[in-house]
Amino acid sequence: MCSNRNSLSFLILFSVLLASLPIFSQNKEKADSLIRILNNTDLSYLERTKTLRYIAYYHPDVNSGLTYAKESLLLAKKLDNPILQAEAWEEIAHLEGRLGNIDKSLEASLNALKIYEREGLKQRVAASYNQLAANHMMNENYPEAITYLKRAEVIYENSNQDENLANTILNLGEAYRLSNNLDSAEISFKRTLELNQEIDSDITEGYSLGNLGMIYHSLNELSNAKTNLVQAITLLLQLGDYYSTSVYMTELASIYEEEGRMDLAEKNYLRAMEMAKKTGFKEQIRDFSKKLAQFYANENKFSEALRFQKIFQIYQDSLVNKANIQKIERVKAAYEIDKRESEIGLLNQVNTNQKYLLWALVGGVVATLAFLYQLYRGNRKVKKANTILFEQKEIISEREKEKALLLRELNHRVKNNLQMISSLLSLQSRELDGHPAKEALETGKDRVEALSLIHRKLYQEDAETRVDLKEYLEELVLGLFHGYNAHFKPKLELVDINISVDTLVPLALIVNEMVVNALKYAYNGLDNPSLTLKVQEVDSNLTIQVIDNGKGFILSDSGKKGSFGLKLIQSLVEQLEGTLTKKDNRGTHWQVQLSMD
C-alpha cells in the first residue's frame, strides 16, 4: 500500500498556512500588483518592509519569494523592529520548508518563536509551534511534532480561534497517521471536519477528507477510502492545489491497483506525475516515478518501468548524493586531465625518439629496414593494447573507489542518525519516570544501539558488507550488562567468523532481545546469576544459544506468548529462515539455528 510519507511532509507544511491561505490562482496577480507598488511608489522603510513580506507570501515562485523575504528581514533589522523581524523569519521558514531546506526552515522558525515569546504574543507563538512541528514531521520526528502541535492546540482552544484550531488538529492528525497511531489520527481528522462546519473552509475540508481517506486505506476500508479521496481531489482541484491533489491521487491509484483496476490506477498515477512536474518539487517527482516504475514492472511493461526508474534515480541522486557526487566528479575530472596531459607528453617524447631513430636507419639495408618496420608495427599494437588495458583498469579502480567512498559516507550517516535517535529516546525516557512508556522507550533505545553498533563497526573498520561476529557480540552483550548494572559477567563462547550485514542486523536484534529479557526479568531474588551466550558453526549451520539460570517462564503463558519482544524474535528468526527452540531446562534456554549457505 502506498504511504506517501515523504510527499505528505510537504503537504503538512502547506496546511500550517491554511488560516490565511488565498486562492492559488490569485497569487500571481497579487504579487505583481505589490511589485508595481514597490517599484513605482515612494514608500517609507516600514511600508517597504511589509510590502516585501507580502510579495514573498503571494509570489508563485518560491525562490523569488525567498529573496523578497530576506530583503524584508534586512530592512526590519535596520528599523530595529522585533515584530517585523519575526514576521520575516516566519515567512523565510515557510519558503525554506517548501524548498525542502528543513534545517534552514527550523532555524528560521526558532528565531521567530524567540521573538514572539519575548514579546508575549501567544497567537504568533502558536503559529511558530505549527511551523516547528511541520519541520519535525518532514524529518520524520513525529513525537517532537506532536508535542509542538499540542502546545499550539492549547493556545488556540483558550483563545476561541476555531480556524487556527482546526488547522492545528488537522496537522496533529497527520502526525499521528505517520507515526502509525491510526485511531488518534482518525479522531483528529473527524474533529477537524466538525470544526470546519463553522469555519466553512474548502481547503481544510479537502485536506481532512484526503487524510481520512489514507487512514481508511491503511485500515483496508477501501470503499470509505475511495469516497473520501475522490471528494478531496474534487475540492482541491477546484482550488488549483495541484500539489496536494497529486498526493491524494497517488493514494487513490494505489487502491485501484489493489483492486486490480489497472487502467484507473495508471491514469491516476500519470495525472499525479504530471501535477508533480507542474509544482516542481523534486521529492514528489522522485516518489511518483518510483511508484510508476513499480506499477509498470508489475504489468510487464518493462520499457516504461525502465523510463520511470531512470527518472527516479536521477532525482534520488540529486536529493541524496548530490554533494558527494559533485565532489567525486571534480576529483575524477582533475585526475583525468592530469593523466591525459602525462600521456600526451609521453607520446610526444616517444614520437621524437622514433623520428631520430628512423632517420638514423634510413641508410640501412632494405632487409634491415623492413625488419625494423615490422618490429615497430608490432610494438605499436602491443603498446596500444597495454594502454587500453591500463585505462580500463584505471576506470574500474576509480569506480571501486567511488563506490567505497559513497558506501562509507552512507554508513557514517546511518550511524550518526541511529546515535541521534538513541539519544532522543534516552532523553525522552528520563522525562517519563514512573510512566509505563519509559520501559518501552528504553527497550527501543537498546534496539537502536544494537543497530548503531553495526554501522559503527562498518565505518571504523572500513568494512563494506561484513562484520566480525565474535567481536560485535562481545561488545553488544558487555554493553547491555553495563547499561543494566549487572553485577556478574556473562560467559561468552563465540565462533570467530565474519558475517554479512544482512544476516547480522536481525541476528543482533535477536540476541539483544534475549539478553535484555534475561537481565530485566530472570534474576529477581537469585544469589548466583549466570548467563551464557554460545555461537557455533557446524557444516555451514550457525547455532546461537542464550542460557540463563533464572526463574524461567512457560512459553504457552499468554502474557509471554503475546509480548512484543517474543513476537519480534520469532519474526526475525523467520526472516533469517531459521528455527527457534525453547529447551526444557532450569532457567531459560533459547536455541536459534540458521543456515549460512
Side-chain angles (χ1 to χ4, degrees):
M1 184 186 71
C2 172
S3 67
N4 286 317
R5 182 162 294 216
N6 293 331
S7 298
L8 281 169
S9 298
F10 288 103
L11 178 59
I12 293 308
L13 178 60
F14 290 159
S15 66
V16 174
L17 307 176
L18 287 175
S20 57
L21 191 66
I23 301 300
F24 296 99
S25 60
Q26 298 175 358
N27 285 4
K28 189 176 188 305
E29 295 179 5
K30 291 184 178 181
D32 291 342
S33 176
L34 290 168
I35 291 173
R36 285 194 295 272
I37 293 173
L38 183 70
N39 294 332
N40 301 324
T41 308
D42 187 13
L43 302 176
S44 66
Y45 267 15
L46 179 62
E47 293 170 334
R48 190 174 183 85
T49 302
K50 293 182 178 180
T51 303
L52 285 165
R53 181 168 55 83
Y54 292 144
I55 293 172
Y57 179 77
Y58 289 112
H59 205 292
D61 180 72
V62 181
N63 287 298
S64 299
L66 186 59
T67 301
Y68 284 111
K70 290 180 178 179
E71 189 175 346
S72 175
L73 176 63
L74 290 175
L75 288 178
K77 289 181 177 179
K78 287 184 179 179
L79 291 171
D80 194 23
N81 188 318
I83 302 301
L84 291 178
Q85 291 178 39
E87 289 174 346
W89 278 122
E90 198 171 18
E91 192 59 42
I92 289 171
H94 295 327
L95 295 168
E96 292 285 12
R98 291 173 63 187
L99 288 171
N101 302 326
I102 308 305
D103 291 338
K104 293 181 179 179
S105 179
L106 184 62
E107 180 182 0
S109 297
L110 288 171
N111 289 336
L113 177 61
K114 291 176 183 177
I115 296 174
Y116 290 144
E117 288 180 334
R118 188 169 63 244
E119 299 294 324
L121 300 175
K122 291 186 177 180
Q123 300 297 319
R124 299 292 184 88
V125 168
S128 295
Y129 284 156
N130 266 305
Q131 180 62 43
L132 285 165
N135 290 330
H136 285 297
M137 289 176 71
M138 294 167 77
N139 276 334
E140 300 187 12
N141 186 357
Y142 305 120
E144 194 71 18
I146 291 171
T147 299
Y148 279 116
L149 288 168
K150 287 184 175 180
R151 292 178 185 175
E153 180 185 3
V154 171
I155 294 175
Y156 288 138
E157 282 183 336
N158 293 333
S159 58
N160 296 321
Q161 294 283 328
D162 288 344
E163 189 168 1
N164 289 329
L165 177 61
N167 297 325
T168 300
I169 296 174
L170 173 62
N171 290 326
L172 182 60
E174 185 60 13
Y176 281 131
R177 188 187 76 83
L178 294 175
S179 61
N180 208 31
N181 189 344
L182 301 184
D183 291 338
S184 297
E186 183 178 3
I187 292 171
S188 296
F189 294 141
K190 287 182 177 179
R191 187 181 173 196
T192 304
L193 288 173
E194 291 175 1
L195 290 169
N196 195 54
Q197 292 178 0
E198 296 293 331
I199 62 178
D200 193 24
S201 168
D202 287 343
I203 294 178
T204 302
E205 183 176 0
Y207 284 176
S208 300
L209 289 170
N211 293 343
L212 260 179
M214 291 184 174
I215 292 293
Y216 289 134
H217 190 187
S218 298
L219 296 173
N220 205 31
E221 298 179 18
L222 301 187
S223 178
N224 288 335
K226 288 189 292 185
T227 299
N228 283 271
L229 287 169
V230 168
Q231 291 177 4
I233 291 168
T234 302
L235 279 172
L236 296 174
L237 267 179
Q238 293 173 355
L239 298 174
D241 185 357
Y242 298 117
Y243 184 94
S244 308
T245 302
S246 65
V247 173
Y248 295 134
M249 197 167 286
T250 57
E251 190 78 11
L252 183 61
S254 68
I255 295 175
Y256 286 136
E257 188 175 357
E258 291 176 25
E259 294 178 335
R261 303 169 70 180
M262 298 306 176
D263 291 343
L264 287 175
E266 181 181 18
K267 179 181 178 182
N268 281 273
Y269 277 137
L270 291 174
R271 287 185 65 194
M273 185 64 173
E274 181 181 352
M275 291 179 186
K277 290 179 179 178
K278 183 177 294 187
T279 57
F281 285 95
K282 292 183 178 179
E283 286 197 7
Q284 201 178 22
I285 296 173
R286 177 197 63 186
D287 295 343
F288 292 173
S289 60
K290 182 178 181 181
K291 298 179 195 304
L292 279 163
Q294 292 172 343
F295 173 81
Y296 282 120
N298 293 337
E299 289 294 291
N300 294 326
K301 297 180 180 180
F302 297 112
S303 61
E304 287 298 305
L306 179 60
R307 180 166 71 90
F308 283 104
Q309 180 64 29
K310 288 180 179 178
I311 295 174
F312 164 77
Q313 196 62 54
I314 290 171
Y315 281 90
Q316 175 72 357
D317 292 343
S318 175
L319 290 167
V320 178
N321 296 320
K322 184 176 181 180
N324 286 338
I325 291 173
Q326 288 176 343
K327 182 177 180 180
I328 291 171
E329 288 300 323
R330 286 195 296 269
V331 173
K332 183 179 178 181
Y335 169 80
E336 291 293 336
I337 291 172
D338 290 339
K339 188 177 74 171
R340 290 182 182 276
E341 289 179 350
S342 298
E343 289 174 351
I344 291 172
L346 179 61
L347 287 174
N348 287 336
Q349 184 64 40
V350 170
N351 287 336
T352 301
N353 293 338
Q354 289 174 345
K355 181 179 179 181
Y356 289 135
L357 179 61
L358 182 61
W359 282 108
L361 296 176
V362 167
V365 297
V366 175
T368 304
L369 182 61
F371 173 77
L372 290 176
Y373 176 71
Q374 293 298 326
L375 182 62
Y376 168 76
R377 287 188 60 186
N379 182 60
R380 286 289 298 270
K381 289 180 180 179
V382 172
K383 188 175 182 180
K384 183 177 180 181
N386 289 338
T387 301
I388 293 173
L389 181 60
F390 174 77
E391 290 176 349
Q392 291 175 342
K393 288 182 178 179
E394 287 294 310
I395 291 172
I396 293 172
S397 176
E398 285 301 310
R399 288 178 178 173
E400 289 298 321
K401 290 178 182 177
E402 292 169 15
K403 176 183 174 183
L405 177 61
L406 290 174
L407 188 56
R408 285 197 300 272
E409 177 67 16
L410 176 61
N411 284 328
H412 180 56
R413 291 191 180 187
V414 171
K415 180 200 73 173
N416 288 346
N417 289 339
L418 289 172
Q419 288 176 344
M420 182 179 295
I421 293 170
S422 176
S423 299
L424 290 173
L425 290 173
S426 179
L427 290 172
Q428 190 66 44
S429 67
R430 293 174 189 171
E431 301 292 329
L432 297 175
D433 285 339
H435 194 281
K438 178 179 178 65
E439 183 179 350
L441 287 175
E442 290 178 344
T443 302
K445 173 177 171 290
D446 291 334
R447 295 167 182 153
V448 171
E449 287 182 346
L451 298 177
S452 177
L453 178 58
I454 293 174
H455 286 275
R456 187 160 68 249
K457 291 289 184 184
L458 288 171
Y459 184 71
Q460 291 176 348
E461 299 172 8
D462 199 23
E464 292 188 3
T465 58
R466 302 186 74 82
V467 174
D468 188 319
L469 178 63
K470 180 180 180 181
E471 182 180 339
Y472 172 79
L473 290 179
E474 285 177 350
E475 188 169 346
L476 174 65
V477 174
L478 292 176
L480 290 173
F481 267 64
H482 175 76
Y484 282 87
N485 296 319
H487 300 297
F488 66 98
K489 292 184 178 180
K491 182 179 180 181
L492 303 176
E493 301 176 9
L494 308 175
V495 64
D496 191 3
I497 60 171
N498 291 334
I499 66 173
S500 69
V501 174
D502 291 339
T503 302
L504 181 59
V505 168
L507 181 58
L509 291 174
I510 291 170
V511 173
N512 180 82
E513 290 297 316
M514 291 180 175
V515 174
V516 167
N517 285 339
L519 292 174
K520 288 169 66 176
Y521 307 117
Y523 305 118
N524 292 336
L526 193 64
D527 293 333
N528 298 307
S530 69
L531 185 142
T532 301
L533 172 61
K534 295 182 179 180
V535 180
Q536 300 171 307
E537 183 184 25
V538 179
D539 297 331
S540 298
N541 290 320
L542 196 65
T543 302
I544 303 97
Q545 298 182 70
V546 179
I547 308 168
D548 66 64
N549 66 340
K551 60 183 181 180
F553 70 93
I554 300 174
L555 189 60
S556 61
D557 177 64
S558 60
K560 291 293 183 182
K561 191 174 182 180
S563 70
F564 176 76
L566 183 56
K567 288 181 178 179
L568 178 60
I569 292 172
Q570 292 171 334
S571 175
L572 292 169
V573 171
E574 290 176 3
Q575 178 183 332
L576 292 171
E577 297 182 354
T579 59
L580 174 66
T581 306
K582 181 180 179 298
K583 295 189 173 183
D584 293 331
N585 199 351
R586 183 176 182 275
T588 302
H589 183 169
W590 290 107
Q591 178 173 296
V592 178
Q593 288 189 312
L594 310 173
S595 174
M596 300 298 290
D597 291 335

